[in-house]
């Protein structure tokens, strides 16, 4: 027997859903949501448009939110880092993974964070905020802080926002400076802003001392 | 003659428009846009709903964008500071005015910057981005820089984003720490992040030296 054409394998509901999300993520990663149609998603997944609607009856909005949730989970996995070794090395490794994600999802990442997208809603904003909160939680946990002072909390959240801004500018600037330099620069800024807050907050002062003795 | 009831003065088109915008800004300042109706605006301005529609036939969206544009102009005036005296004092004064604006427009300011609002569009996003760009331009102009290096530009834009984030957290935290402390802290962070960039960029290094010698 000559080899047959690849069998049209029947996917389980979960597999099919994943396949559609994967195709959608691939498209949303490189185009603004308004420039992606359900036909594009169907074509990228090699299925019919009605099939996409069967899985996502809410249409593009629902598909976009599901894709965003899946991207948010992937992004949160970037932050996971074993609590071992010097703290700033852990931060560097997490930033490396985060910047890899930004690099890989460039246009979609920009469209999402820059706001004003037609598919942006209070739900999509909540998903993005969830990622920011998760990032802050990871940082506090690595710093060994269970109850951050309001000044420490503000400092960490400001730095996270600044990292986001840096990512968007980096994409705009054709990914300059090189990712390794950007990463080191962001780590240095983290130490610098914590050091400023240390002058106003004893909890942060203790952390900065520990960071200096670390590694 | 006993004093008559205040005459119902006929306003010019421009006066009426300003009056409606003023009323709208007052409402948008303390409530999320989705919680403000055209009836509320008509009532606050003491006019009929059809009159509001006559001036803003596009309804709430148009009124919101016009109010936002007017708020953006007001915000940009906060940044205007004569190019005299020590640079960090100028920055302090501009931040004072900016934080006064944030204080005064609290809920509206949060709703706008947090995104996901029903009235957010690419146009409203562009207005907000315009304010950010104006802020960066003011900073470069005070620093005496006409062509910022990409690293200096990134640093200043990151700091501006961090200031925005701080404003939102400050509103969330019931305006703690006191505004004077927040202002000084933000100025210190400005110097700290510039100093970090100075290690990677000769233009920024020269500025940091000048800042240290300044005042």
């Amino acid at each position: 027997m000559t080899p047959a054409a690849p069998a049209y394998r029947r996917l389980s509901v979960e597999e099919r859903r994943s396949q559609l999300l994967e195709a959608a993520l691939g498209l949303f990663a490189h185009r603004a949501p308004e420039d992606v149609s359900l036909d594009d998603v169907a074509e990228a997944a090699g299925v019919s448009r009605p099939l996409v609607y069967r899985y996502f009856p809410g249409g593009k909005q629902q598909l976009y939110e599901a894709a965003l949730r899946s991207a948010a989970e992937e992004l949160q996995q970037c932050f996971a880092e074993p609590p071992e070794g010097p703290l700033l090395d852990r931060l560097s490794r997490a930033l490396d993974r985060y910047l890899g994600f930004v690099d890989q999802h460039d246009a979609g990442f920009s469209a999402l964070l820059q706001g004003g997208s037609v598919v942006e809603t209070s739900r999509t904003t909540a998903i993005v905020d969830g990622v920011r909160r998760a990032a802050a939680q990871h940082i506090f946990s690595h710093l060994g802080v269970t109850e951050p002072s309001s000044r420490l909390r503000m400092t960490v959240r400001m730095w996270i926002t600044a990292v986001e801004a840096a990512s968007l500018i980096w994409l705009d600037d054709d990914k300059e400076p090189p990712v390794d330099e950007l990463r080191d620069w962001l780590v240095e800024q983290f130490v610098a802003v914590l050091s400023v807050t240390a002058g106003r907050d004893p909890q942060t002062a203790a952390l900065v001392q520990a960071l200096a003795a670390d590694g």
Side-chain angles (χ1 to χ4, degrees), chain A:
Chain A
M1 249 172 68
T2 53
Y8 194 78
R9 189 166 78 80
R10 208 180 161 80
L11 300 180
S12 74
V13 169
E14 252 329 293
E15 284 172 330
R16 179 66 81 192
R17 197 183 134 84
S18 298
Q19 181 211 15
L20 294 178
L21 276 184
E22 199 55 44
L25 265 178
L27 294 171
F28 287 130
H30 299 295
R31 289 193 230 158
E34 36 273 69
D35 300 329
V36 175
S37 71
L38 281 190
D39 279 329
D40 296 332
V41 175
E43 194 187 320
V47 303
S48 68
R49 196 167 193 275
L51 185 79
V52 180
Y53 263 106
R54 185 141 20 107
Y55 278 79
F56 299 97
K60 189 161 87 172
Q61 184 67 37
Q62 192 192 1
L63 181 60
Y64 180 72
E65 287 183 22
L68 178 58
R69 235 172 249 118
S70 147
E73 275 162 32
E74 197 186 319
L75 192 46
Q76 294 194 27
Q77 279 160 20
C78 296
F79 306 147
E81 175 66 34
E84 287 151 20
L87 275 163
L88 296 180
D89 292 356
R90 298 184 219 166
L91 186 61
S92 280
R93 286 191 294 266
L95 274 172
D96 260 338
R97 287 189 296 267
Y98 164 78
L99 292 170
F101 180 94
V102 172
D103 188 16
Q104 197 190 330
H105 294 83
D106 41 23
F109 185 84
S110 295
L112 175 71
L113 289 187
Q114 274 166 345
S117 155
V118 291
V119 291
E120 197 183 354
T121 64
S122 54
R123 277 195 306 279
T124 60
T125 305
I127 296 172
V128 176
D129 274 342
V131 175
R132 291 181 183 129
R133 268 197 306 278
Q137 273 315 317
H138 276 280
I139 291 175
F140 294 133
S141 136
H142 283 280
L143 291 173
V145 169
T146 45
E147 297 205 13
S149 68
S150 64
R151 282 165 185 72
L152 175 60
R153 206 166 47 85
M154 202 190 262
T155 309
V156 167
R157 288 174 62 190
M158 285 170 77
W159 179 78
I160 289 169
T161 313
V163 169
E164 263 179 45
S167 315
L168 291 174
I169 299 167
W170 184 67
L171 291 176
D172 255 5
D173 284 357
D174 296 321
K175 306 186 179 174
E176 272 297 320
V179 70
D180 290 1
E181 180 183 343
L182 178 60
R183 178 203 58 213
D184 290 346
W185 187 15
L186 295 172
V187 172
E188 287 167 21
Q189 290 197 13
F190 180 73
V191 177
V193 292
L194 275 188
S195 303
V196 164
T197 302
R200 308 183 169 275
D201 179 60
Q203 188 186 37
T204 310
L207 287 175
V208 169
Q209 264 199 322
L211 275 182
D214 188 41

